[in-house]
Amino acid sequence: MRVSMQNIYKAFGTNQVLTGVDFELLDGEVHALMGENGAGKSTMMNVLTGLHTRDQGTITIDGKERYFKNPKEAEENGITFIHQELNMWPDMTVLENLFIGKELRTPLGLLKTKEMKALAKKQFDRLAVSIPSEKEAGSCSVGEQQMIEIAKALMTDAKVIIMDEPTAALTEREIQKLFDVIVSLKKEGVSIVYISHRMEEIFTICDRITVMRDGKTVDTKAVPDTNFDEVVRKMVGRELTDRFPKRTSSPGETVLEVKGLTKKGAFHDVNFSVRSGEIVGFSGLMGAGRTEIMRALFGLDSFDSGEIWLKGKKVTINTPDQAVKAGLGFITEDRKDEGLILDFSIKENMVLPSLHSFAPKGLINEKSENDFVDMLIKRLTVKAESQEIAVSSLSGGNQQKVVIAKWIGIGPKVLILDEPTRGVDVGAKREIYQLMNELTDRGVAIIMVSSELPEVLGMSDRILVVHEGRISGELTKEEATQEKIMTLATGGQ
Amino acid sequence: SMQPPEWAQPAKKDDLKDVKIGLSVSTLNNPFFVALKDGVQKEVKALGMEVKVVDAQNDSAKQINDVDDLIQQGVDILLINPTDSAAISTAVQSANNIGIPVITLDRSADKGKVAALVASDNIKGGEMAADYIAKKLGEKAQVAELEGVPGASATRERGQGFHNIADKKLKVVAKQSADFDRTKGLNVMENLLQANPDIKAVFAHNDEMALGAIEAINSSGKDIMVIGFDGNDDALKAIKAGKMEATVAQQPDLIGKLAVDAGRDVIQGKKVEKNIPAPLKLVIKE
Amino acid sequence: MNAINESTKAGKTNFVSTITQKLGPLLGLIILIIIVSVLNPSFLEPLNILNLLRQVAINALIAFGMTFVILTGGIDLSVGAILALASALTAGMIVSGLDPIFAIIIGCLLGGVMGIVNGLLITRGKMAPFIATLATMTIFRGLTLVYTKGNPITGLGDNYLFQLFGRGYFLGVPVPAITMIVTFVLLYIVLHKMPFGRKTYAIGGNEKAAIIAGIKVPKVKVMIYALSGLLSALAGAILTSRLNSAQPTAGTSYELDAIAAVVLGGTSLSGGKGRIFGTLIGALIIGTLNNGLNLLGVSSFYQQVVKGIVIIIAVLLDRKKSA
Amino acid sequence: MNAINESTKAGKTNFVSTITQKLGPLLGLIILIIIVSVLNPSFLEPLNILNLLRQVAINALIAFGMTFVILTGGIDLSVGAILALASALTAGMIVSGLDPIFAIIIGCLLGGVMGIVNGLLITRGKMAPFIATLATMTIFRGLTLVYTKGNPITGLGDNYLFQLFGRGYFLGVPVPAITMIVTFVLLYIVLHKMPFGRKTYAIGGNEKAAIIAGIKVPKVKVMIYALSGLLSALAGAILTSRLNSAQPTAGTSYELDAIAAVVLGGTSLSGGKGRIFGTLIGALIIGTLNNGLNLLGVSSFYQQVVKGIVIIIAVLLDRKKSA
Ligand SMILES: Nc1ncnc2c1ncn2[C@@H]1O[C@H](COP(=O)(O)OP(=O)(O)OP(=O)(O)O)[C@@H](O)[C@H]1O
Ligand SMILES: Nc1ncnc2c1ncn2[C@@H]1O[C@H](COP(=O)(O)OP(=O)(O)OP(=O)(O)O)[C@@H](O)[C@H]1O
Ligand SMILES: [Mg+2]
Ligand SMILES: [Mg+2]
């Protein structure tokens, strides 16, 4: 199926998101769509599939003008969208999730459960995963959930599949399987729109690349005719010298020490320490238990045994407020769900953990609050018209900067960053790395949990690898390689 | 200060030609008070006066607001059917302050100056019911009592009157509140019958509950005498049809009429009785 | 902290917790029945059980509709008011000479229409269900009083079928109980065996995702509020027949009893989780409490205290289990 | 689709929408006042305005507490019951010879304790606020009836200060109105100028994020339900003084009026968004409606219909603007 979108305009209120974008998808190609956060990639695809209506422009499908009223109509006409945010019903079973809105039914209107189960199994086999169809979707790992979404799309006999960051939550093995499926789909003549911030993947799997910036198409090129640096330059509109800025700080004395931290069924005998000015990277497969360790450390979850020492003193951390008091900051992996209050302004979000320091006499001193936030906005180069606008209107990268800024106010001794650049574009990524460097220069100890190996290798002073809830090895910056990390992460020696 | 400021006091009217009456009713969700209101309106019309009606919906706080609002509209006399005797006192006092005479209907006011109270004697009515049962079924018969909304003066007074006699002459084996409500009367009665199969008579604090109780008794197949209170249309019909034994009938429309008449007398400067009794009668099948 | 932990549910405990979750309310009911019947054996007499079933029917019917509403994450405060208005209109039609059974059918449809008004305010008007149905509750109550002038409507004649509907027995079982059971079976099928039920859960679980999945969310919601209205009107018809009259203040605070039944049955007020079987049990718990406390001669003042405490204990136990 | 577009709020429109959002309810109130006073000029007479303020005070005080509760995404159905129970206990203390002012203070504290019970059920017990406060509502109502034996408590003596509290004037303004305004100013400062207010909004905006930011969410919530209970008890004290007695059924369905005031004031029932100034306006709107409809001689049946319709219109207009 050939899809052509021409001169598409779309605004949300006064926010002009698409300003005359063009896009052309051919039969049986894998077409990468790239651009910074907020460039309008997801929006363009939502316009195509009818979730949003365009303000202007034409869409043709196989040469004929065609506009869908809603995603379901698009799907019935062969265009399926795997959304960036998982569209899951955590309390419903996997099977119910797969067939929502398109259940098979008898002429009397009753559900045909057996047939649906068989169909589900067929798709899961194709993806080489085994997920019991009676399992509650919410108890599946994020990777499994992503696989369910993909299976859902495969079930529709699609001619075009749009994948919006499908690999953000997948393991290497799962990604490989997905790529196999993409190749076989391509052979069947299915066209694929592939949206991702992961450069390596784009160059592995895609045939052509379209780069967007500020709601416009910048360029479309075949993959062999372009390279990494050119794509990045077109995306951000300027030259990006190096992806990972140079680490300059040198680690000082030990700030945090974790001894024998254990929680049955989650992690066992976790020992590690972080020094001031040091970045310790936590690597491992998806679901290895890194997030759970950090949540326990921060007092969000309970643990069974173990000790936490800060600057040589044993501390008790049972609740997050104790952690914050002790000087810990936690940037969670899900910024929308746990990091930000979306309706709050930038200012209100940034001062939240340190509110009381702005109200020495009980009343909040707005002037010092404003000054402080202005300073942070400038230092972190948050792109926003004012500190009063709601964070929900910021792009992903800028939102992430607000989350980090939040913790600067408490003067943290230790900062935990869980997947700090997930879903963040190259330009913003670099700025976040720079910020981490600045923080360590001031003596902050940083724990960085990340599933992106280049990031772990590029930014950490020391790397700990987690495998099934245990620390399976430690590598210095110098000795670490992708291969060594992967071996440790999969349980090899 | 307990008085509104000078600048806010309304100008006193001295033109008594077109008399405006304010009527505050405790509730209009109940046929009794609807009839009472109708009685007022009919008499007012007959006398060529004007009446403003407000409905407190059984909420004492709303009622004193309502009375404030009536005063605001410049009524010359207030007819108040209080939701509660104690709670209405402040409203009566504020009317007194401005010099508007007050007549209460069905219930009295604890404090403040009331020109007249027009009411049937609820205590007496309760006694009549108990006497009737004792007379019909003999002493020590087992009876049940369906009480009205807890705390309502009708509940208290009718209950008091009933027990004045019943505690001596009858055996009250069960009493439960059914909130003056027919549905609750039905459900509560069903359950009471289950717990006390030997009941011979039921006294309900109003006809609504009595009618509910009758439905319960009918489906249980038992033969139990039911006495209600109020004498509303449904109850009278039920008595006529032989389904209900008796009711202590009030005459709400008469209460309304008597109140208006008393009000007229007050305005014309005539002397009125402090307590104006409205006749009460026990209605049984002829 | 709690909010976050709540969602932490490992795979294995799931099976056990599903079982206790399903049996929780039933267990509660059984314990309650045992307590009551030990204290007063007459509770278990057949006639009392039949009475109990009849008393429960009205609340259960309303609570069934409320279950669908709550599953979508909504709430319907207007059920009691719809019951009263529909019942008044039905009685009015009967008095004016319409065939009673025909009047009941029209009355139920009118109840459905009132529910549609709720649904449209919520979907088209984008009002929060709480405030939309709070407003319509006031309006429907007012209209009932306007229509009845505050008086009960009586003189409904003695059509045998009509009387049977609220007061009669069929094969020895009270007709309202039969109506309740038949409705339960139908709705059980709709909720658990048909796509409509899946959509109901999907809306409550994740409304945005439901929209993207092509579910016509507004349409489904309107249908659900219509169902709630229709069932309230049906409950109203039973009440009208039982009382042989329409009461202007009928159904006052029935919404609270219905919501309590749904929650006691284990359905979550935030939507997406719950079962209609639980609601049936919840209604029986409340009915048993009312009936049992009366049988035990507990004063109506203490009855309220006991009811509140039982609700708290039941919900707390349910929480404990799933934690 | 709608649900998704709803969140569409671009940076620039924010400013304009904040303005209309702030003025929306006030505008509604002004329009209402104009309509009423054109139809009946006596509405604007000084005494009526003073009466109106006094009438509004009770609902406004309760609604202030409710605003905090709703901002955290909760709800408190027990306010009316707390009012009744606290009022009965206060009256009981006065009758038994305690100094009335002292009794009022203890009564308010007891109201706060009842609120703490709510708060603990919700935080420790992890109960949904709706069901927790529904249960405590039943319990507190029952306890009130048990304590008062269903009778009003009278004979409160004639302590001048006590009578002044509900019925008196200070500098020409009714004392309840002064209590309301002072409370408003204090709570305004707490909500908009102090960390506690920020925390309140944060919890309603995103509870998980608030927890992670180190806010002691359970503590804040308990304090807020305590505040709501305390203010209900304060309103109860005013009512006791006005009625010169404690009524066992006082405050019935006051929770609905309070919630309506909060929502009319533009606060969102899902939490995190709203202002206490709006609530004051909301309470004035409801008060003006009650007072105005009485002055216009509208029958109480139609009053309900009109009130419901006004609520719908007001909320719909508010939606329109922010859309
Ligand atoms: N429903 C919506 N309402 C309001 N603004 C929206 C909506 N959807 C997207 N936007 C805005 O449109 C812009 C483009 O968003 P879009 O999601 O298309 O970007 P993207 O290129 O997919 O970015 P990312 O790489 O972060 O996914 C952003 O500024 C975003 O805030
Ligand atoms: N809130 C939750 N509910 C259910 N399961 C969870 C939850 N949090 C974690 N898990 C499960 O616990 C295991 C460990 O997950 P964890 O998030 O700690 O891993 P991770 O190494 O940080 O990986 P990720 O990169 O996905 O965060 C996984 O199997 C995950 O599915
Ligand atoms: Mg996107
Ligand atoms: Mg993680």
Side-chain angles (χ1 to χ4, degrees):
Chain A
M1 189 184 274
R2 278 175 300 114
V3 176
S4 158
M5 303 177 72
Q6 256 135 34
N7 205 27
I8 305 286
Y9 281 80
K10 172 73 191 171
F12 294 107
T14 54
N15 183 10
Q16 192 65 47
V17 174
L18 298 180
T19 51
V21 72
D22 299 319
F23 179 70
E24 182 103 31
L25 181 68
L26 302 178
D27 271 322
E29 73 164 340
V30 181
H31 194 139
L33 193 51
M34 304 211 60
E36 293 187 271
N37 294 124
K41 305 179 292 290
S42 304
T43 304
M44 178 162 75
M45 291 301 120
N46 278 326
V47 167
L48 171 64
T49 52
L51 187 66
H52 298 319
T53 44
R54 74 202 194 290
D55 298 334
Q56 256 185 68
T58 45
I59 302 174
T60 58
I61 287 167
D62 288 335
K64 273 202 277 309
E65 250 185 80
R66 188 72 219 255
Y67 305 99
F68 300 116
K69 283 201 289 292
N70 53 52
K72 188 154 188 218
E73 198 185 58
E75 201 171 284
E76 282 159 3
N77 286 279
I79 303 184
T80 301
F81 194 166
I82 303 172
H83 286 265
Q84 188 169 7
E85 283 109 29
L86 294 173
N87 289 315
M88 276 284 159
W89 289 272
D91 294 321
M92 299 176 81
T93 66
V94 170
L95 187 71
E96 285 168 345
N97 264 283
L98 281 173
F99 285 91
I100 278 289
K102 41 180 180 262
E103 295 87 356
L104 305 181
R105 58 183 104 173
T106 63
L108 274 176
L110 296 180
L111 296 168
K112 296 206 275 192
T113 311
K114 231 189 255 154
E115 284 86 338
M116 290 195 281
K117 269 188 187 160
L119 257 174
K121 178 142 191 341
K122 211 172 97 192
Q123 294 308 333
F124 283 144
D125 286 347
R126 181 169 178 191
L127 289 166
V129 289
S130 59
I131 306 174
S133 59
E134 285 307 322
K135 196 172 165 184
E136 246 178 57
S139 61
C140 294
S141 71
V142 188
E144 282 177 326
Q145 293 184 9
Q146 184 69 61
M147 282 304 189
I148 296 171
E149 290 281 296
I150 293 168
K152 208 155 93 178
L154 293 181
M155 234 155 36
T156 56
D157 271 334
K159 302 284 179 304
V160 173
I161 300 181
I162 302 159
M163 301 184 176
D164 199 348
E165 309 224 16
T167 57
L170 296 188
T171 64
E172 295 295 327
R173 198 180 63 86
E174 286 167 330
I175 292 175
Q176 201 45 56
K177 197 64 223 169
L178 176 66
F179 284 181
D180 293 347
V181 172
I182 290 178
V183 169
S184 80
L185 284 171
K186 208 165 103 173
K187 281 205 193 98
E188 294 164 25
V190 176
S191 320
I192 288 169
V193 181
Y194 194 89
I195 304 176
S196 176
H197 289 292
R198 297 189 175 177
M199 292 289 174
E200 292 81 0
E201 291 174 6
I202 302 287
F203 283 88
T204 316
I205 191 77
C206 298
D207 303 317
R208 292 202 299 162
I209 302 182
T210 292
V211 177
M212 282 176 72
R213 191 168 74 235
D214 298 335
K216 278 198 202 61
T217 316
V218 180
D219 198 2
T220 300
K221 274 204 167 155
V223 166
D225 303 339
T226 184
N227 59 49
F228 196 98
D229 289 331
E230 190 190 16
V231 172
V232 172
R233 179 159 23 85
K234 284 186 170 145
M235 273 170 67
V236 296
R238 67 196 144 86
E239 209 67 51
L240 261 196
T241 42
D242 45 356
R243 266 173 92 189
F244 301 104
K246 230 181 144 36
R247 299 269 308 125
T248 47
S249 77
S250 51
E253 90 255 33
T254 301
V255 180
L256 173 79
E257 237 187 313
V258 173
K259 297 182 184 171
L261 205 64
T262 299
K263 177 178 185 171
K264 280 196 197 74
F267 47 82
H268 307 274
D269 196 25
V270 174
N271 295 291
F272 67 91
S273 64
V274 191
R275 297 193 281 165
S276 75
E278 185 185 31
I279 297 181
V280 174
F282 268 73
S283 190
L285 298 181
M286 210 62 51
R290 295 162 298 170
T291 299
E292 298 203 333
I293 295 171
M294 298 309 153
R295 288 174 61 90
L297 173 57
F298 194 68
L300 267 167
D301 293 343
S302 59
F303 53 87
D304 300 328
S305 61
E307 292 173 0
I308 300 166
W309 293 65
L310 260 178
K311 296 226 161 158
K313 266 197 232 117
K314 196 179 155 202
V315 290
T316 0
I317 297 181
N318 292 324
T319 54
D321 66 279
Q322 291 170 335
V324 174
K325 274 217 193 76
L328 264 60
F330 188 19
I331 290 135
T332 55
E333 58 187 334
D334 188 338
R335 67 175 163 264
K336 282 197 176 139
D337 197 37
E338 300 180 335
L340 291 170
I341 298 171
L342 290 172
D343 289 328
F344 266 33
S345 66
I346 296 177
K347 174 171 97 180
E348 288 165 328
N349 269 290
M350 281 188 178
V351 300
L352 199 56
S354 48
L355 257 183
H356 283 280
S357 60
F358 294 98
K361 296 198 195 90
L363 293 186
I364 296 175
N365 181 335
E366 290 189 29
K367 168 107 181 42
S368 65
E369 205 186 33
N370 288 343
D371 292 347
F372 176 72
V373 172
D374 273 336
M375 184 271 289
L376 284 178
I377 289 183
K378 222 171 277 148
R379 241 186 62 198
L380 275 64
T381 59
V382 178
K383 280 179 220 121
E385 296 152 57
S386 95
Q387 48 169 276
E388 303 290 345
I389 69 170
V391 290
S392 55
S393 62
L394 297 180
S395 75
N398 280 309
Q399 286 184 347
Q400 189 71 351
K401 287 184 200 165
V402 174
V403 182
I404 297 174
K406 206 164 85 149
W407 293 107
I408 294 179
I410 68 161
K413 300 192 184 83
V414 182
L415 211 50
I416 306 166
L417 296 109
D418 196 355
E419 309 285 359
T421 63
R422 181 178 281 177
V424 171
D425 67 61
V426 239
K429 260 184 190 164
R430 211 194 111 89
E431 286 170 10
I432 288 171
Y433 298 142
Q434 238 153 7
L435 196 65
M436 289 165 65
N437 278 345
E438 252 180 71
L439 286 166
T440 47
D441 284 346
R442 293 161 161 260
V444 179
I446 287 186
I447 299 171
M448 179 184 73
V449 176
S450 171
S451 299
E452 273 191 62
L453 284 180
E455 176 172 288
V456 175
L457 288 166
M459 288 303 296
S460 316
D461 297 322
R462 202 146 49 87
I463 297 165
L464 297 176
V465 185
V466 180
H467 169 63
E468 290 182 350
R470 290 172 196 277
I471 294 189
S472 57
E474 177 174 338
L475 300 165
T476 61
K477 187 187 182 81
E478 290 72 29
E479 62 187 350
T481 61
Q482 293 225 11
E483 290 69 33
K484 279 188 190 161
I485 294 178
M486 281 319 292
T487 323
L488 287 170
T490 49
Q493 283 307 313
Chain B
S1 149
M2 297 295 294
Q3 305 286 329
E6 279 306 319
W7 48 268
Q9 302 266 6
K12 187 90 181 63
K13 279 214 296 211
D14 30 31
D15 175 21
L16 284 184
K17 232 180 276 159
D18 42 7
V19 174
K20 214 197 252 176
I21 294 182
L23 170 65
S24 168
V25 196
S26 60
T27 177
L28 288 177
N29 291 348
N30 179 319
F32 178 81
F33 296 105
V34 175
L36 184 145
K37 183 203 78 177
D38 290 343
V40 169
Q41 281 175 325
K42 221 162 107 198
E43 183 70 0
V44 162
K45 209 167 170 195
L47 298 178
M49 298 188 284
E50 191 193 341
V51 66
K52 299 260 176 194
V53 184
V54 286
D55 167 14
Q57 294 164 332
N58 271 332
D59 179 348
S60 314
K62 182 169 186 322
Q63 186 158 40
I64 56 178
N65 291 345
D66 284 348
V67 172
D68 279 343
D69 293 344
L70 283 175
I71 296 174
Q72 183 61 34
Q73 285 173 281
V75 297
D76 304 291
I77 183 159
L78 273 166
L79 308 187
I80 303 178
N81 157 232
T83 51
D84 180 82
S85 313
I88 201 63
S89 307
T90 43
V92 175
Q93 283 167 339
S94 57
N96 291 161
N97 284 338
I98 296 175
I100 300 175
V102 176
I103 291 172
T104 56
L105 294 78
D106 187 49
R107 288 170 201 142
S108 59
D110 282 357
K111 287 196 186 155
K113 218 175 79 217
V114 174
L117 161 68
V118 186
S120 6
D121 189 342
N122 277 320
I123 298 181
K124 178 93 187 302
E127 289 171 350
M128 284 163 73
D131 268 330
Y132 178 80
I133 297 174
K135 198 178 81 201
K136 273 285 211 189
L137 297 178
E139 307 228 330
K140 298 294 162 221
Q142 288 201 9
V143 294
E145 183 184 4
L146 289 178
E147 302 177 286
V149 171
S153 63
T155 306
R156 279 178 278 146
E157 292 165 8
R158 290 169 195 178
Q160 189 192 332
F162 182 70
H163 282 275
N164 282 345
I165 304 292
D167 286 351
K168 285 179 237 144
K169 297 192 179 166
L170 300 167
K171 203 170 151 209
V172 184
V173 292
K175 59 175 193 174
Q176 282 286 349
S177 167
D179 290 345
F180 287 136
D181 180 85
R182 196 183 290 198
T183 318
K184 290 206 181 114
L186 167 55
N187 285 335
V188 170
M189 194 63 216
E190 275 180 356
N191 300 335
L192 285 184
L193 284 175
Q194 192 63 36
N196 310 280
D198 299 326
I199 297 173
K200 290 285 170 293
V202 177
F203 171 55
H205 286 186
N206 77 346
D207 285 337
E208 286 295 310
M209 294 188 292
L211 291 163
I214 285 172
E215 301 295 342
I217 291 167
N218 282 349
S219 40
S220 78
K222 291 205 163 94
D223 182 24
I224 295 174
M225 164 192 290
V226 177
I227 320 270
F229 205 115
D230 283 350
N232 70 25
D233 284 350
D234 264 12
L236 298 180
K237 267 185 232 153
I239 290 172
K240 214 169 181 181
K243 289 192 203 156
M244 183 160 154
E245 177 72 21
T247 183
V248 182
Q250 308 193 67
Q251 302 189 56
D253 45 346
L254 191 57
I255 294 178
K257 177 180 180 312
L258 292 173
V260 176
D261 294 347
R264 181 199 51 195
D265 292 350
V266 169
I267 289 175
Q268 291 174 351
K270 290 188 201 156
K271 213 175 141 39
V272 291
E273 286 284 327
K274 265 254 167 257
N275 273 304
I276 303 173
L280 207 64
K281 59 174 189 241
L282 191 78
V283 178
I284 49 174
K285 195 175 180 195
E286 288 92 55
Chain C
M1 184 131 146
N2 301 332
I4 293 181
N5 282 340
E6 236 170 317
S7 67
T8 313
K9 223 194 280 164
K12 275 170 208 165
T13 56
N14 238 6
F15 180 69
V16 181
S17 86
T18 321
I19 293 270
T20 57
Q21 203 194 351
K22 279 203 177 136
L23 291 184
L26 191 57
L27 218 78
L29 177 62
I30 292 171
I31 293 174
L32 190 66
I33 290 179
I34 292 176
I35 295 177
V36 173
S37 44
V38 164
L39 293 175
N40 187 342
S42 76
F43 175 82
L44 286 178
E45 278 173 25
L47 182 64
N48 192 49
I49 299 296
L50 292 184
N51 275 340
L52 176 67
L53 284 178
R54 195 193 352 233
Q55 290 173 10
V56 160
I58 288 176
N59 183 26
L61 284 173
I62 300 175
F64 291 158
M66 190 70 84
T67 307
F68 280 79
V69 170
I70 290 182
L71 278 176
T72 66
I75 200 143
D76 187 350
L77 300 181
S78 70
V79 286
I82 291 182
L83 179 150
L85 182 52
S87 150
L89 294 172
T90 306
M93 287 185 276
I94 296 177
V95 168
S96 75
L98 207 65
D99 178 75
I101 298 306
F102 198 54
I104 287 180
I105 293 172
I106 297 184
C108 287
L109 293 179
L110 288 175
V113 171
M114 298 174 217
I116 289 177
V117 172
N118 284 332
L120 291 177
L121 287 174
I122 291 162
T123 54
R124 289 280 174 93
K126 290 175 206 162
M127 289 176 76
F130 190 98
I131 201 74
T133 57
L134 175 62
T136 55
M137 168 178 105
T138 317
I139 295 174
F140 295 151
R141 279 255 167 250
L143 290 177
T144 309
L145 291 170
V146 169
Y147 181 74
T148 62
K149 305 203 180 60
N151 293 322
I153 299 178
T154 55
L156 305 187
D158 20 57
N159 179 298
Y160 182 69
L161 275 180
F162 173 66
Q163 301 207 338
L164 218 52
F165 193 60
R167 285 176 271 168
Y169 292 82
F170 180 73
L171 302 177
V173 181
V175 177
I178 291 179
T179 311
M180 167 179 87
I181 291 164
V182 170
T183 311
F184 171 74
V185 172
L186 288 178
L187 292 179
Y188 182 91
I189 293 173
V190 170
L191 190 58
H192 295 294
K193 305 282 167 202
M194 289 175 74
F196 188 82
R198 290 284 164 86
K199 291 179 191 167
T200 307
Y201 281 101
I203 292 173
N206 186 344
E207 184 161 336
K208 268 194 197 177
I211 294 167
I212 291 174
I215 294 173
K216 292 187 184 117
V217 174
K219 193 179 128 196
V220 174
K221 279 193 180 175
V222 170
M223 286 173 71
I224 283 174
Y225 283 91
L227 175 74
S228 173
L230 190 142
L231 289 172
S232 305
L234 181 63
I238 293 177
L239 193 62
T240 311
S241 162
R242 285 195 77 191
L243 298 175
N244 208 11
S245 65
Q247 302 289 318
T249 54
T252 306
S253 82
Y254 278 20
E255 59 279 2
L256 299 183
D257 270 350
I259 294 168
V262 174
V263 173
L264 282 178
T267 295
S268 145
L269 278 175
S270 46
K273 258 186 289 188
R275 289 162 338 282
I276 196 168
F277 178 70
T279 300
L280 181 62
I281 302 296
L284 285 171
I285 291 179
I286 293 180
T288 307
L289 265 178
N290 284 336
N291 176 287
L293 292 173
N294 269 341
L295 286 192
L296 299 178
V298 176
S299 105
S300 66
F301 302 166
Y302 281 105
Q303 288 196 12
Q304 295 193 34
V305 179
V306 173
K307 258 169 83 173
I309 292 177
V310 168
I311 292 180
I312 290 180
I313 292 178
V315 176
L316 284 184
L317 286 182
D318 222 42
R319 284 290 157 289
K320 266 280 152 50
K321 253 180 295 123
S322 64
Chain D
M1 189 127 149
N2 299 332
I4 294 181
N5 283 340
E6 231 172 319
S7 67
T8 315
K9 219 193 283 164
K12 275 171 210 164
T13 56
N14 238 4
F15 181 69
V16 180
S17 83
T18 321
I19 293 271
T20 56
Q21 202 194 351
K22 281 206 174 134
L23 291 184
L26 191 57
L27 218 79
L29 176 62
I30 293 172
I31 293 173
L32 191 65
I33 290 178
I34 292 177
I35 295 177
V36 173
S37 44
V38 163
L39 292 175
N40 186 343
S42 78
F43 174 82
L44 286 177
E45 278 174 25
L47 184 62
N48 193 50
I49 299 297
L50 292 185
N51 277 340
L52 177 66
L53 285 177
R54 192 192 356 230
Q55 292 172 8
V56 161
I58 288 175
N59 183 25
L61 283 173
I62 300 175
F64 291 158
M66 190 70 84
T67 308
F68 279 78
V69 170
I70 290 182
L71 278 176
T72 66
I75 200 145
D76 188 351
L77 300 180
S78 70
V79 286
I82 291 182
L83 180 151
L85 182 52
S87 150
L89 293 172
T90 307
M93 287 185 276
I94 297 177
V95 168
S96 74
L98 207 63
D99 178 74
I101 298 306
F102 196 55
I104 288 180
I105 293 173
I106 297 183
C108 288
L109 293 179
L110 288 174
V113 171
M114 297 174 218
I116 289 177
V117 172
N118 285 331
L120 290 177
L121 287 174
I122 291 162
T123 53
R124 291 280 173 92
K126 289 172 206 164
M127 290 176 75
F130 190 97
I131 201 74
T133 57
L134 175 62
T136 55
M137 169 179 106
T138 317
I139 294 173
F140 295 152
R141 279 254 168 253
L143 290 177
T144 310
L145 291 170
V146 170
Y147 181 74
T148 61
K149 305 207 179 56
N151 298 324
I153 299 179
T154 55
L156 305 185
D158 10 64
N159 180 298
Y160 183 69
L161 277 178
F162 173 67
Q163 302 207 339
L164 218 54
F165 193 61
R167 286 177 271 165
Y169 294 82
F170 180 72
L171 302 177
V173 182
V175 176
I178 292 181
T179 310
M180 166 179 87
I181 292 165
V182 170
T183 311
F184 171 74
V185 172
L186 288 178
L187 293 178
Y188 182 91
I189 293 174
V190 170
L191 190 58
H192 295 294
K193 305 282 168 199
M194 288 173 70
F196 189 82
R198 284 286 174 82
K199 292 179 190 170
T200 306
Y201 281 102
I203 292 173
N206 184 344
E207 187 162 333
K208 285 186 197 175
I211 292 168
I212 290 173
I215 293 173
K216 290 179 186 138
V217 173
K219 193 180 129 195
V220 174
K221 280 193 178 173
V222 170
M223 286 174 71
I224 283 174
Y225 283 91
L227 175 74
S228 174
L230 190 142
L231 289 171
S232 305
L234 181 64
I238 295 177
L239 193 63
T240 312
S241 163
R242 284 196 79 190
L243 299 179
N244 205 14
S245 63
Q247 300 288 323
T249 54
T252 305
S253 83
Y254 279 19
E255 60 279 2
L256 299 183
D257 270 349
I259 294 168
V262 174
V263 173
L264 282 178
T267 295
S268 143
L269 277 176
S270 46
K273 263 183 287 188
R275 287 163 339 283
I276 194 167
F277 178 70
T279 300
L280 180 63
I281 302 296
L284 285 170
I285 291 179
I286 293 180
T288 306
L289 264 177
N290 284 336
N291 176 282
L293 291 172
N294 264 346
L295 288 191
L296 300 179
V298 176
S299 108
S300 66
F301 300 167
Y302 281 104
Q303 286 196 16
Q304 296 192 34
V305 179
V306 174
K307 260 169 80 173
I309 292 176
V310 169
I311 292 180
I312 289 179
I313 292 178
V315 176
L316 283 183
L317 285 183
D318 221 43
R319 286 289 157 288
K320 267 279 151 50
K321 251 179 300 126
S322 63

